[in-house]
Amino acid sequence: MDYLTLEYNGDVAIVGLNRPQKRNAISDAFVEELNDVITEVEGRSKAAVIHGHGPHFCAGLDLAEHVKKTPFEGVHGSRRWHEVFGRIQRGKLPWFAAMHGAVVGGGLELASSVHVRVADRTAFFALPEGQRGIFVGGGASVRTARLMGVSRMTDLMLTGRSIDADTAERWNVVNYVVDAGQALAKAIDLARHAATNAPISTYAVIHALPRINDMATDDGLFVESFIASFTATSPEAEERLNAFLNKRAGKVARPDE
Ligand code: 1HE
């Protein structure tokens, strides 16, 4: 592979953005390779982690390549990002991002498509599209706006400023902030845990929660009842419920355990 690395840690696939000399800037070929890797890891693992090699997570869109595009090529390019990132957000696996350094533009869009985000204290987040004369095109106006809220995203896009990891956590962009160099280990740890969930529950979390979040209250509650019943009547649920009742399964741990 030219742009990515792939390794496995048990049931967890570890996907590395690997174009450090260009700060992991995402070109068209990079997106296609990511698409292929998603297919590969969906067939072989139960959870996936994405991280960046080199000094940064990802500098976003490959600006050199973008300079040359026609308007229609730009639309197709953006739609392809949506398609491929959509396979992360609403695919078969729970995805975790481990971030450090720049998480910028399309890098933040990629991070916004995973399910759980871990940042180390070197991470910083920005949407500099306004300064580049472009607009977000990898899903940020939907995904990133829903994480941080439209008002904060408008601020980031108008001012081009960066926010640090603690602010990103306050803004709901990252779920965990860890010491420098610890993000990948933390993300793998979380992914390994998620890989032990019942697959049907994980699938329901990934697919039902964002859809129900888009629904009206009454519709959401109605759909929830069907998903709850569908998962709870699976053979795996029966086995897992009995395992707890027969003291074969672990208790819920306190936060400090
Ligand atoms: C790139 C890119 C890139 C670096 N496309 N080549 N994204 C941006 O506007 C961010 C632009 N990048 C930066 O602000 C900085 O590179 C960083 C803060 C991320 C990192 O700084 P630094 O000092 O570590 O690296 P550098 O020296 O700036 O960059 C190293 C090389 O990577 C250099 O090339 P070189 O040939 O001179 O060595 C840079 O030109 C190259 N490089 N970032 C192409 N993004 C679907 S729509 C999404 C819209 C967006 O993503 S807009 C945001 C684009």
Side-chain angles (χ1 to χ4, degrees):
M1 285 190 290
D2 295 324
Y3 301 104
L4 296 164
T5 58
L6 174 58
E7 52 192 306
Y8 291 93
N9 179 325
D11 286 331
V12 175
I14 302 167
V15 178
L17 308 175
N18 191 28
R19 198 191 179 197
Q21 70 285 6
K22 294 291 177 190
R23 306 312 185 236
N24 298 329
I26 301 175
S27 60
D28 290 346
F30 196 132
V31 172
E32 293 313 316
E33 205 170 282
L34 179 58
N35 188 52
D36 292 343
V37 164
I38 293 166
T39 304
E40 156 96 21
V41 304
E42 281 191 338
R44 282 195 51 186
S45 57
K46 294 187 176 166
V49 172
I50 194 158
H51 70 107
H53 292 286
H56 303 285
F57 176 72
C58 178
L61 178 72
D62 183 331
L63 295 170
E65 187 176 81
H66 207 68
V67 169
K68 300 182 222 101
K69 288 204 167 155
T70 67
F72 207 32
E73 284 170 348
V75 172
H76 285 310
S78 168
R79 295 299 291 154
R80 187 62 179 151
W81 281 50
H82 293 164
E83 217 168 8
V84 175
F85 290 6
R87 293 190 64 208
I88 293 175
Q89 188 181 34
R90 296 186 184 185
K92 293 185 181 157
L93 301 178
W95 283 78
F96 297 74
M99 297 173 286
H100 70 292
V103 184
V104 169
L108 180 51
E109 296 184 298
L110 173 58
S112 298
S113 70
V114 311
H115 304 103
V116 178
R117 283 161 288 277
V118 181
D120 82 11
R121 292 193 190 283
T122 70
F124 58 98
F125 303 79
L127 292 169
E129 280 82 352
Q131 286 297 308
R132 310 283 179 240
I134 58 177
F135 190 66
V136 290
S141 59
V142 176
R143 297 194 184 99
T144 313
R146 283 177 193 193
L147 290 175
M148 65 173 63
V150 172
S151 167
R152 284 168 169 161
M153 182 164 162
T154 304
D155 168 13
L156 284 195
M157 290 199 73
L158 290 181
T159 63
R161 75 181 170 111
S162 296
I163 57 168
D164 63 16
D166 286 329
T167 306
E169 186 185 28
R170 257 195 305 114
W171 285 18
N172 200 36
V173 174
V174 305
N175 303 86
Y176 300 83
V177 178
V178 296
D179 288 340
Q182 297 303 309
L184 182 57
K186 178 71 179 178
I188 292 171
D189 197 41
L190 296 169
R192 285 176 69 92
H193 195 78
T196 66
N197 288 338
I200 196 170
S201 301
T202 294
Y203 193 80
V205 169
I206 293 169
H207 285 267
L209 283 186
R211 287 182 172 86
I212 291 173
N213 195 42
D214 287 343
M215 290 178 192
T217 299
D218 195 42
D219 297 334
L221 293 174
F222 184 78
V223 170
E224 182 189 272
S225 295
F226 275 79
I227 293 173
S229 176
F230 184 72
T231 54
T233 52
S234 69
E236 184 159 5
E238 188 180 346
E239 157 60 25
R240 284 175 179 246
L241 295 170
N242 279 327
F244 175 75
L245 295 173
N246 297 328
K247 318 253 182 251
R248 285 187 282 110
K251 295 183 189 182
V252 174
R254 292 178 183 279
D256 50 3
E257 283 174 24

